[in-house]
Amino acid sequence: MSQRLQGIEEFVAAVEAGSFALAAQRLHVTRSAVAKSIARLEARLDTRLFLRTTRSQSLTEEGHGYYERCRRALAELDAAEALTDVARSTAAGLVRLSMPAMLGRLKIGPLLLALARRHPGLSLELGFSDRRVDLVEEGLDLAIRSGELPDTSDLVARSVGVQWMALCAAPAYLDERGHPRGIEALQAPHEAVLYARDGQVSTWRFHDAEGRLVEVTLPSRLRCDSAEVLLEAAIGGMGLARLPAWLAADALAAGTLVRVFEEPKPFGFELNVIRARSRYLPFKTRVVIDWLAEHLPPLLAVP
């Protein structure tokens, strides 16, 4: 029976990833290992599953039919493993996650370390990056994303908190430039330190007194993709800063930053943990999601 299963996982991964190289990344093996497994599978079945050229690969008619049955078979195996996980009532195995760099290092990472200590059989592979990842292509179980999610049926999302935003400035900056008292006063002579990534500069968002979304853009001498650097720049008096409230909390408490004005209605970016849609959710993955949903929101609360 074990011989009949050999090569099936590599075959399904190659179909879903679109190439042997991406399947190898997903399975944490070499490309040649994937190619050899699929070649042995084709030899055992005495049929061609892929039509391959130097630039592309596609399924044969037999490959299409075989893929659908193999996909269902692997789903059933996943379901069986999930049942044994539940029976053990402990999380075991590897979970791979991607998360925003700063939030991951300062808040999510420590939470997951605490979870791993509670479950000795749980292994974690954590990636810290602000870029948008492809879960299937990169072989990830989960990703944590801030803000709006794409409208897709391929992903399942669960909210794990809100990053509430605060408009902050150093007291010395306000003494020099004046103290704006509301959204409408965010204009010259004021300037900002702004978050920017991949050439895209973020605009500030607020809710007005009627709850309508208002966007504000100010001139800036500093744009970067590190909120930690923006925090330091704001403390140094380089401009107004729109920062996650949890990140600015210590500086606000110390008085090195102050809130510029009380906002009519708080604005924040929802945080979601996402996963690829599947029929079954492994117990190890469910444990990670539930842990984040329970313990992350209090860490993001506005002081």
Side-chain angles (χ1 to χ4, degrees):
M1 180 69 175
S2 60
Q3 184 179 4
R4 295 181 65 188
L5 293 175
Q6 290 178 0
I8 289 179
E9 188 174 16
E10 291 85 349
F11 168 65
V12 170
V15 174
E16 294 179 347
S19 73
F20 287 7
L22 292 176
Q25 292 179 17
R26 181 176 177 181
L27 299 173
H28 306 290
V29 298
T30 64
R31 184 192 181 285
S32 62
V34 171
K36 289 177 181 177
S37 292
I38 293 175
R40 287 193 292 267
L41 178 62
E42 289 179 323
R44 191 171 75 245
L45 297 173
D46 192 24
T47 190
R48 292 280 299 278
L49 298 173
F50 286 105
L51 295 173
R52 292 184 287 273
T53 69
T54 56
R55 295 186 177 181
S56 65
Q57 70 178 37
S58 59
L59 286 172
T60 63
E61 183 177 350
E62 294 83 357
H64 276 290
Y66 192 65
Y67 164 70
E68 289 299 326
R69 287 166 174 79
C70 287
R71 182 180 59 80
R72 290 196 292 269
L74 289 179
E76 290 298 327
L77 287 174
D78 288 342
E81 291 181 1
L83 288 175
T84 60
D85 282 340
V86 173
R88 285 197 302 264
S89 297
T90 184
L94 175 65
V95 178
R96 302 184 69 223
L97 302 92
S98 173
M99 65 198 75
M102 178 193 65
L103 180 64
R105 290 195 307 271
L106 299 180
K107 296 295 183 180
I108 301 172
L111 270 184
L112 294 176
L113 294 180
L115 176 64
R117 287 193 291 270
R118 294 170 65 98
H119 296 273
L122 180 65
S123 299
L124 299 172
E125 185 174 318
L126 309 180
F128 301 90
S129 174
D130 290 333
R131 69 179 180 86
R132 289 296 175 99
V133 298
D134 186 304
L135 292 173
V136 174
E137 184 175 296
E138 300 186 35
L140 295 167
D141 300 292
L142 300 170
I144 297 172
R145 291 184 179 170
S146 177
E148 296 180 1
L149 294 175
D151 185 13
T152 173
S153 60
D154 297 330
L155 299 176
V156 177
R158 180 174 174 183
S159 176
V160 289
V162 177
Q163 284 204 96
W164 299 106
M165 304 302 291
L167 183 64
C168 305
Y173 170 89
L174 297 176
D175 289 342
E176 178 185 348
R177 300 291 184 98
H179 198 141
R181 299 299 178 181
I183 300 171
E184 67 284 350
L186 296 178
Q187 51 189 307
H190 293 289
E191 61 180 314
V193 292
L194 297 174
Y195 185 87
R197 180 166 57 89
D198 299 330
Q200 300 294 315
V201 181
S202 64
T203 58
W204 290 347
R205 296 179 181 180
F206 299 86
H207 290 299
D208 66 14
E210 284 73 42
R212 294 171 300 198
L213 188 64
V214 177
E215 293 191 346
V216 174
T217 301
L218 284 174
S220 173
R221 292 188 297 128
L222 175 66
R223 296 172 292 277
C224 71
D225 63 358
S226 169
E228 291 161 294
V229 172
L230 297 181
L231 172 66
E232 292 303 318
I235 292 173
M238 287 192 64
L240 305 175
R242 190 77 163 139
L243 299 168
W246 64 264
L247 179 64
D250 288 345
L252 291 170
T256 53
L257 287 180
V258 296
R259 284 183 178 268
V260 178
F261 52 75
E262 289 299 320
E263 299 178 27
K265 179 182 177 183
F267 177 85
F269 294 97
E270 187 169 18
L271 280 173
N272 287 281
V273 57
I274 64 169
R275 61 181 177 87
R277 184 177 296 278
S278 61
R279 185 174 177 184
Y280 299 102
L281 177 63
F283 184 67
K284 61 182 179 181
T285 309
R286 184 186 307 119
V287 165
V288 172
I289 295 172
D290 289 345
W291 181 263
L292 292 173
E294 178 181 358
H295 294 282
L296 186 55
L299 300 182
L300 305 176
V302 178

